């Protein structure tokens, strides 16, 4: 790898400025030298640390998009478990008409128990391990041992703050959270969050990388528990739990109210844009003026529940059985059939957004 620096040479007794090319077998920044990160447009191979539901889905997705994917797992048993986590999304791509031959994806994927084989020379690695800080530190140490110092580490963490993940790293400036939304092999959302020492360049390079492969990156300007989408989703989920627990409606009716009302609009645009479109000539500003009092009254009665009721697991379990029984036959009544319908709908929406 070459890096450049300014230099001075003497010729015929006179000083001349020049550029000196420093060739290093493995790029290691010199003392005081700022790390220059590789242009993500040049990346042809990425790494996956772990291949559960998220890692397997990511591996299948990026291979579908044409990248070579090195998947690292820690044991032969983990290797065997990883295969169905990758094959499942591949089968979905075939059923959804996004792929003719699943074997073509497998030709882009290499599963290995050797971290050197997985990460050496790899400039972008997506970490998909358990939400355990000690294990996150161990994973970072393994990746840093073999990755180039100017490679980016993106954690799929859904709860562990990136500052904590990077706290024992040799190069915390290259570590971010790149949080997906399930199913990761279809949904484009990636929430990017840097830590206290994350380089702004890394955040921008990661944003560019995900956009290149039809993901939809959203960047947090500061660390926040749950990031963006999970906080929005849990606000909705808390209200549904409260409505059902209070006997206002069944879970099936609450789900239908969302699915056939705001949910369809939100498949096109988020709340902000929908309020802009619904606010008349003044747009979202008009909504604030016209509906401010009503919104305040609604806020005052929304649930402030800070703990899931003890009765909710049994209540929701009973209600979902009824809800599945009442679904139309063209959707189906088993989880496999329902998931297939969901995936087909998602793909059609994504095609409208030119994300698939």
């Amino acid at each position: 790898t070459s890096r450049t620096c300014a230099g001075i040479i003497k010729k015929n007794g006179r000083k001349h400025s020049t550029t000196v090319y420093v060739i290093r077998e493995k790029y290691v920044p010199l003392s005081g030298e700022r790390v220059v990160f590789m242009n993500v447009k040049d990346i042809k191979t990425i790494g996956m640390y772990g291949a559960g539901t998220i890692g397997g889905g990511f591996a299948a997705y990026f291979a579908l998009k044409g990248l070579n994917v090195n998947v690292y797992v820690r044991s032969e048993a983990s290797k065997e478990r990883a295969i169905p986590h990758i094959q499942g999304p591949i089968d979905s791509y075939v059923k959804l008409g996004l792929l003719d031959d699943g074997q073509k994806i497998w030709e882009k994927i290499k599963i290995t128990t050797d971290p050197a084989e997985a990460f050496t020379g790899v400039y972008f690695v997506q970490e998909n391990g358990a939400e355990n800080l000690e294990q996150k530190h161990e994973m970072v140490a393994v990746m840093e041992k073999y990755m180039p110092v100017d490679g980016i580490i993106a954690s799929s963490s859904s709860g562990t703050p990136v500052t904590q993940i990077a706290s024992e790293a040799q190069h915390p400036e290259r570590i971010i959270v790149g949080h997906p939304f399930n199913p990761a092999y279809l949904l484009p959302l990636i929430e990017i969050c840097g830590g206290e020492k994350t380089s702004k360049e890394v955040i921008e390079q990661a944003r560019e990388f995900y956009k290149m492969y039809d993901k939809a990156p959203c960047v947090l300007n500061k660390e926040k528990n749950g990031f963006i989408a999970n906080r929005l989703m849990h606000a909705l989920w808390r209200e549904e739990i409260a409505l059902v627990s209070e006997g206002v409606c069944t879970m099936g009716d609450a789900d239908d109210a969302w699915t056939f009302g705001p949910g369809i609009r939100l498949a096109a645009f988020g709340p902000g844009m929908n309020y802009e479109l619904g606010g008349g000539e003044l747009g979202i500003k008009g909504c604030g003026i016209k509906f401010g009092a009503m919104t305040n009254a609604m806020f005052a009665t929304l649930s402030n529940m800070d703990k899931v009721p003890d009765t909710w697991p049994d209540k929701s379990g009973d209600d979902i059985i009824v809800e599945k029984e009442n679904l139309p036959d063209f959707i189906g009544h088993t989880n496999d059939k329902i998931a297939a319908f969901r995936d087909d709908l998602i793909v059609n929406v994504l095609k409208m957004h030119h994300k698939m």
Side-chain angles (χ1 to χ4, degrees):
T1 303
S2 66
R3 289 294 185 270
T4 63
C5 60
I8 301 291
I9 64 172
K10 283 187 177 183
K11 184 177 181 181
N12 297 329
R14 300 180 65 182
K15 292 182 178 179
H16 297 266
S17 62
T18 187
T19 299
V20 178
Y21 290 85
V22 182
I23 308 299
R24 307 173 208 167
E25 183 177 346
K26 180 179 180 182
Y27 171 54
V28 178
L30 302 175
S31 178
E33 181 184 1
R34 184 178 72 86
V35 174
V36 180
F37 289 89
M38 182 180 185
N39 191 324
V40 293
K41 293 180 180 179
D42 297 327
I43 292 175
K44 305 300 180 187
T45 299
I46 65 170
M48 289 289 148
Y49 195 128
T53 301
I54 297 296
F58 264 143
Y61 178 83
F62 285 112
L64 177 71
K65 292 296 181 178
L67 285 168
N68 298 310
V69 184
N70 295 343
V71 179
Y72 170 67
V73 292
R74 290 183 286 185
S75 68
E76 288 298 325
S78 296
K79 191 173 182 178
E80 290 300 315
R81 289 193 296 268
I83 292 173
H85 286 301
I86 299 172
Q87 187 63 50
I90 292 174
D91 290 342
S92 292
Y93 293 148
V94 173
K95 291 175 184 176
L96 293 166
L98 301 174
L99 184 69
D100 294 327
D101 181 6
Q103 186 57 36
K104 292 180 180 179
I105 287 190
W106 278 112
E107 291 171 1
K108 309 287 287 185
I109 297 172
K110 175 168 53 180
I111 307 176
T112 178
T113 57
D114 181 359
E117 184 181 22
F119 304 133
T120 299
V122 174
Y123 286 86
F124 193 98
V125 176
Q126 187 84 32
E127 172 268 302
N128 310 287
E131 292 293 336
N132 178 293
L133 184 57
E134 184 177 349
Q135 290 183 29
K136 295 285 190 192
H137 288 163
E138 292 173 358
M139 289 185 280
V140 168
V142 170
M143 289 181 282
E144 287 202 307
K145 182 177 180 180
Y146 298 103
M147 286 179 67
V149 73
D150 46 343
I152 296 172
I153 295 173
S155 174
S156 296
S157 170
S158 58
T160 309
V162 64
T163 294
Q164 293 183 21
I165 294 172
S167 63
E168 296 184 5
Q170 295 177 13
H171 296 283
E173 70 277 1
R174 47 110 146 246
I175 299 177
I176 61 166
V177 160
H179 178 248
F181 219 63
N182 260 330
Y185 61 90
L186 287 180
L187 290 183
L189 176 64
I190 299 287
E191 295 171 311
I192 298 175
C193 184
E196 293 175 359
K197 297 182 178 180
T198 304
S199 162
K200 290 182 180 180
E201 182 185 357
V202 165
I203 291 174
E204 288 308 312
Q205 286 283 304
R207 188 209 298 258
E208 179 66 20
F209 171 79
Y210 288 124
K211 285 176 68 176
M212 284 169 52
Y213 297 100
D214 295 325
K215 290 295 187 182
C218 298
V219 176
L220 282 80
N221 295 324
K222 60 175 69 175
E223 292 183 86
K224 190 74 171 178
N225 182 38
F227 311 114
I228 302 170
N230 265 328
R231 294 184 69 85
L232 296 172
M233 186 181 72
H234 277 78
L236 166 67
W237 187 226
R238 176 170 66 176
E239 192 61 30
E240 178 160 334
I241 292 173
L243 289 170
V244 175
S245 297
E246 293 169 10
V248 175
C249 61
T250 65
M251 190 162 68
D253 281 339
D255 278 0
D256 282 351
W258 187 256
T259 299
F260 299 111
I264 291 178
R265 292 191 313 198
L266 291 173
F269 300 108
M273 185 58 72
N274 274 299
Y275 277 114
E276 169 68 14
L277 298 177
E281 292 183 359
L282 293 178
I284 191 170
K285 182 178 179 181
C287 283
I289 296 170
K290 290 188 292 185
F291 305 127
M294 183 192 75
T295 301
N296 290 340
M298 187 72 70
F299 281 178
T301 62
L302 289 174
S303 173
N304 60 0
M305 177 174 54
D306 60 5
K307 180 180 180 296
V308 176
D310 293 337
T311 57
W312 182 247
D314 288 337
K315 172 65 175 169
S316 61
D318 293 340
D319 276 18
I320 202 66
I321 292 173
V322 176
E323 185 174 349
K324 289 198 288 188
E325 289 174 349
N326 289 334
L327 286 174
D329 290 341
F330 70 83
I331 292 178
H333 307 281
T334 64
N335 284 0
D336 287 347
K337 295 285 188 181
I338 296 167
F341 175 83
R342 176 204 64 187
D343 289 358
D344 191 39
L345 190 148
I346 288 172
V347 166
N348 280 287
V349 171
L350 291 179
K351 286 179 178 178
M352 292 288 291
H353 282 286
H354 292 191
K355 289 290 185 184
M356 185 61 70

